Amino acid sequence: AENSVAYYEKQLNSTKREQANLRAELERTNVYVKEAQESITGCAHSIDQYGKETKGATSAVNALAEAVVAAGIAEKVKDVAAALYDCVETFGAFQSQMSAVQAISGASAQDMAALAEKAKEMGASTSFTAAEAGQALEYMAMAGWKTGDMLDGLEGIMHLAAASGEDLASTSDIVTDALTAFGLKASDSGHFADVLAVASANANTNVGLMGETFQYAAPVAGALGYSIEDVAVAIGLMANSTIKGSSAGTA
């Protein structure tokens, strides 16, 4: 019995040592678990924070994109670019046209500045562009008009073209040629344009057809002393009888 007691005491002591070792190991494990929990918690917090920041950034980007779309900024940028390109093209066309006017007229730099300013003014106040006004000035220069004549005559010719719906350059050509044929001056171009506008509005003809008639009739009528009013009435009456254009001029 004493031997048995001694044996079980020995086993008990061994078990106590193992228990103590397990308790120490458990405490160490608890420390590891706690550290792991803290790491996991910190990681989770970081992930959550990252998610919030990412979500916030994504929302901000989406909001910006929506704002851009809503404001039509992309289209506005395209519109601005197109407008700038159109502006450059328009300016280039105008400069080229005025260079042609200077080459034909031989006008000085000061005169060209005045003509360019007049063309811009008419381009802003009529349905025609400044470059088209420059085309009208070109035909005036070809007719031998001086700077003062062109400045005085441009407005009447442009108003006639606008009222009749004719091409501005062609209208300028008609008026300048016919004025010369009738022995009139550039200062008479406004009145001349009014006569053509009234005649074309009250007879079965138009300014373009009257221009064709003038090619044949104006030199003879001017040499014989007929006025533009007389010839305009005759052209209108003949147009009402289906005789128009060059046919009316030769008749």
Side-chain angles (χ1 to χ4, degrees):
E2 289 177 355
N3 290 335
S4 295
V5 169
Y7 172 77
Y8 284 117
E9 285 180 349
K10 184 179 180 180
Q11 291 294 324
L12 180 60
N13 291 332
S14 177
T15 301
K16 287 181 178 179
R17 286 195 298 271
E18 291 178 358
Q19 185 179 12
N21 292 334
L22 288 173
R23 186 178 294 111
E25 188 67 29
L26 180 61
E27 289 178 356
R28 286 194 296 271
T29 302
N30 286 336
V31 172
Y32 295 149
V33 170
K34 184 177 180 181
E35 290 177 352
Q37 286 178 338
E38 290 176 354
S39 297
I40 291 171
T41 301
C43 182
H45 177 72
S46 298
I47 292 173
D48 181 62
Q49 185 65 25
Y50 175 77
K52 290 180 180 179
E53 291 176 357
T54 302
K55 183 178 179 181
T58 303
S59 299
V61 171
N62 289 338
L64 178 60
E66 291 174 0
V68 167
V69 173
I73 292 176
E75 292 301 320
K76 295 298 182 184
V77 169
K78 291 181 181 178
D79 292 342
V80 170
L84 287 173
Y85 178 79
D86 182 63
C87 182
V88 171
E89 286 290 299
T90 300
F91 179 75
F94 176 69
Q95 288 294 95
S96 177
Q97 182 57 56
M98 295 310 295
S99 295
V101 173
Q102 185 174 25
I104 295 171
S105 67
S108 65
Q110 183 177 357
D111 288 341
M112 284 306 304
L115 290 172
E117 189 64 30
K118 184 66 175 180
K120 292 177 184 177
E121 176 189 334
M122 297 308 298
S125 61
T126 68
S127 59
F128 298 102
T129 66
E132 288 174 322
Q135 291 176 353
L137 292 172
E138 182 178 351
Y139 279 99
M140 294 178 187
M142 292 170 64
W145 287 21
K146 302 303 180 184
T147 300
D149 297 332
M150 289 189 276
L151 292 173
D152 292 336
L154 181 61
E155 187 169 351
I157 291 174
M158 292 189 71
H159 287 318
L160 175 61
S164 64
E166 297 289 336
D167 176 74
L168 178 56
S170 299
T171 303
S172 178
D173 192 28
I174 291 169
V175 173
T176 52
D177 288 349
L179 280 174
T180 302
F182 281 100
L184 299 174
K185 299 178 181 179
S187 58
D188 298 317
S189 60
H191 175 68
F192 188 90
D194 289 340
V195 172
L196 266 62
V198 172
S200 61
N202 289 279
N204 190 16
T205 187
N206 56 49
V207 172
L209 289 172
M210 292 183 73
E212 293 181 19
T213 303
F214 286 145
Q215 290 179 8
Y216 298 90
V220 178
L224 294 174
Y226 287 98
S227 68
I228 178 58
E229 289 84 358
D230 294 333
V231 176
V233 170
I235 291 174
L237 292 172
M238 295 178 75
N240 290 340
S241 299
T242 72
I243 306 172
K244 306 175 185 179
S246 57
S247 297
T250 55

